[in-house]
Amino acid sequence: MNKVNTYTDEIGDWLHQIYSSQANAESGQAVTTALSRFATFAYSAGRVFTDSLGPQISIGHFTVIIGAAENFVSSLESAVSAIMMMVQNVSHCVPFATFMLMPERGVSSGDLEAGELESIAFENLVFSYPNSDRVILDDISFEIKKGEKISIVGLNNAGKSTIVKLICRLFEPDSGRILWNGIDIRDYDYDSYLEQISCVFQDFMVFPFTIQDNIDPLGESGEDEVWEILDEVSMGSDVRSLPQQLNTYLDKSLFEEATDMSGGQKQKIAIARAVRKEADLVILDEPTAALDPLAESEVYEHFNDLVRGRTAIFISHRMSSSVFCDKILLLDGGRIAAMDSHEILMKGNNLYRTLFETQAANYRK
């Protein structure tokens, strides 16, 4: 809470400086404008009634001078206002510029090239998020072999998404190791390692480009392959109904001819982008959260076709998604409670069976 208050105070001071400068500039402009008008009126009026300031002028000349002076003042006010607005906008960009100039956090990178996945394993791994005393993962160990489809299941805050973040090297473990083919992932070249992984996170994004560019941003696949993937995620018919089809843009605020897609359609585009990448490990973290039950069922039915025999890690709060996976990794309190098939876990008395039957009972009501 102290950090939030400190941040709020800093933002308040920064905005106070900006608006104080703006107010001072506007006050100075108002005083300058008033003085210039007074001087113009006084001088012109003096020239009308007396020749002490120069040759007398007529009322007509007086009117012309006053009109010209008003036009000049109005133009000056517009120019000053534009400059003030520009300065204010630049001030608003200062935090962003400061952020962009900050040095990037170094990521340790080895010299090894990550080869085709044979296995990925966690070895006595412990992890807590920075500036937190809570242990998220507590001495966990497990192994996923090539071609296996694993569903990670557990209660909220059990550490499901944390496992994915650690695999993607968004964080480093406090202790223990993650092994890719028996070698610590930190010994691999960072870019080479990430090339082997394809993810769809909960907070996925689609970009304001065409559908084709969203699914195949590097242009590595032909249209036929993109259409095939769209059909597999039950999105092909929707895209074919669009006038520009694969060349349709996805942001109406930038392109008039763009289309507005629903959250579920965007999620299908994100899934299509992930499975198109020729990566050995596919990670889907809540990939069907925005889909309706029918669309979700279609994705599950085509799941084996989607991952195309690759190793896959699947996270979902909907327990029915675990049925089509080879094994379920059950997390409870930051530890591994079990790792086995759906059939075997349903025979025991464990958290997985409780979660599955509770959710199934709710669906039957």
Side-chain angles (χ1 to χ4, degrees):
M1 194 64 189
N2 290 332
K3 290 183 178 179
V4 173
N5 292 333
T6 301
Y7 177 75
T8 302
D9 292 339
E10 290 177 354
I11 292 296
D13 292 340
W14 171 65
L15 291 175
H16 177 73
Q17 292 176 1
I18 292 177
Y19 293 126
S20 294
S21 299
Q22 181 180 356
N24 291 335
E26 289 177 349
S27 299
Q29 177 189 354
V31 171
T32 303
T33 300
L35 291 176
S36 64
R37 280 177 172 154
F38 174 78
T40 301
F41 273 82
Y43 176 75
S44 299
R47 291 284 300 274
V48 170
F49 296 108
T50 179
D51 58 2
S52 60
L53 299 176
Q56 283 186 286
I57 59 175
S58 65
I59 297 296
H61 288 150
F62 173 81
T63 304
V64 171
I65 292 173
I66 295 302
E70 285 298 316
N71 288 335
F72 172 77
V73 170
S74 297
S75 299
L76 181 62
E77 287 179 340
S78 298
V80 172
S81 296
I83 293 173
M84 288 170 54
M85 182 63 67
M86 181 181 67
V87 171
Q88 183 177 351
N89 290 338
V90 170
S91 299
H92 287 155
C93 291
V94 168
F96 175 73
T98 303
F99 171 75
M100 292 301 294
L101 291 174
M102 291 176 63
E104 295 186 8
R105 182 174 66 91
V107 178
S108 59
S109 179
D111 299 324
L112 299 178
E113 290 291 320
E116 182 178 340
L117 175 64
E118 297 296 334
S119 68
I120 184 168
F122 278 50
E123 186 179 85
N124 304 118
L125 188 139
V126 178
F127 176 76
S128 300
Y129 282 103
N131 302 318
S132 173
D133 296 331
R134 178 171 172 259
V135 177
I136 304 298
L137 299 174
D138 187 6
D139 193 27
I140 66 169
S141 298
F142 65 89
E143 182 179 16
I144 302 173
K145 296 181 180 179
K146 178 179 180 180
E148 287 187 326
K149 300 170 186 62
I150 305 298
S151 176
I152 303 179
V153 174
L155 299 174
N156 289 337
N157 299 317
K160 302 184 295 295
S161 295
T162 302
I163 287 179
V164 171
K165 294 173 183 177
L166 289 168
I167 292 176
C168 294
R169 296 205 61 189
L170 298 178
F171 295 94
E172 299 290 344
D174 298 334
S175 63
R177 301 187 300 169
I178 303 175
L179 306 177
W180 180 281
N181 297 341
I183 300 175
D184 194 317
I185 61 175
R186 290 169 288 195
D187 294 334
Y188 288 109
D189 175 77
Y190 182 73
D191 294 328
S192 168
Y193 172 73
L194 292 186
E195 281 294 322
Q196 304 299 325
I197 302 174
S198 182
C199 298
V200 178
F201 291 106
Q202 297 179 44
D203 50 349
F204 67 93
M205 291 289 295
V206 294
F207 304 103
F209 307 138
T210 64
I211 295 174
Q212 170 87 25
D213 290 338
N214 265 277
I215 297 174
D216 182 23
L218 300 180
E220 298 173 337
S221 304
E223 287 191 3
D224 291 342
E225 184 178 351
V226 173
W227 280 118
E228 180 182 352
I229 296 173
L230 285 172
D231 288 333
E232 289 174 353
V233 298
S234 304
M235 190 66 185
S237 59
D238 292 339
V239 176
R240 288 186 179 91
S241 67
L242 300 171
Q244 301 298 323
Q245 296 191 349
L246 291 178
N247 294 319
T248 303
Y249 285 92
L250 298 182
D251 193 331
K252 262 193 170 306
S253 65
L254 298 177
F255 305 97
E256 292 183 1
E257 67 277 14
T259 185
D260 285 327
M261 288 190 168
S262 66
Q265 289 175 318
K266 290 178 181 179
Q267 193 155 36
K268 289 180 180 180
I269 293 293
I271 294 173
R273 178 171 58 215
V275 299
R276 189 221 60 82
K277 182 180 177 183
E278 296 298 328
D280 285 342
L281 178 61
V282 179
I283 300 174
L284 304 177
D285 187 357
E286 296 286 354
T288 59
L291 302 184
D292 59 71
L294 291 177
E296 180 186 30
S297 177
E298 291 177 350
V299 170
Y300 291 161
E301 289 174 4
H302 295 98
F303 185 75
N304 288 331
D305 295 330
L306 283 173
V307 298
R308 302 174 183 179
R310 291 174 285 183
T311 308
I313 297 175
F314 192 90
I315 300 175
S316 177
H317 283 96
R318 298 173 184 175
M319 305 303 295
S320 58
S321 64
S322 302
V323 176
F324 62 84
C325 292
D326 299 316
K327 291 182 180 179
I328 289 90
L329 176 64
L330 178 62
L331 293 177
D332 187 10
R335 291 179 174 270
I336 296 177
M339 186 175 183
D340 219 320
S341 67
H342 167 77
E343 292 77 13
I344 293 178
L345 290 178
M346 288 299 292
K347 294 178 182 178
N349 184 18
N350 53 64
L351 176 62
Y352 175 77
R353 179 178 176 179
T354 302
L355 292 173
F356 191 93
E357 291 181 344
T358 300
Q359 200 168 85
N362 290 331
Y363 284 136
R364 286 193 291 265
K365 288 181 180 180

